[in-house]
Amino acid sequence: AGEAYVIGGASVYGRLLPYCDSCLVTVNDYVPPADQPADSVFPDLDRLPEWTLAEEGGLQEYEGVRFRFCTYRRTG
């Protein structure tokens, strides 16, 4: 059926993730300040048994935030 890219919105991710067989994810080490916690986060695919890390890019940094691009594939 081709490729589609989904950008943003926790509810959109939640609805579409069951239909995905791969995910391109930007993983960062940013921790929001205690007085401004994140209101939503993408599911931690490392903790879900149906997903495996297929590719992991090198560590990069932008304006003090370290990140890497990762590709996850659905198993089974």
Side-chain angles (χ1 to χ4, degrees):
E3 292 182 0
Y5 293 87
V6 177
I7 301 173
S11 64
V12 175
Y13 290 139
R15 289 178 183 246
L16 292 178
L17 190 58
Y19 303 99
C20 296
D21 58 9
S22 63
C23 288
L24 308 175
V25 180
T26 305
V27 178
N28 67 62
D29 66 355
Y30 177 75
V31 177
D35 63 338
Q36 297 176 352
D39 61 356
S40 59
V41 295
F42 190 80
D44 185 350
L45 299 182
D46 290 319
R47 294 180 185 239
L48 298 176
E50 65 269 25
W51 290 96
T52 187
L53 179 61
E55 296 176 42
E56 184 173 27
L59 189 62
Q60 301 181 50
E61 186 170 334
Y62 180 75
E63 294 188 0
V65 177
R66 295 182 315 166
F67 64 93
R68 67 181 71 234
F69 298 113
C70 297
T71 301
Y72 289 85
R73 303 249 189 261
R74 185 182 297 278
T75 57

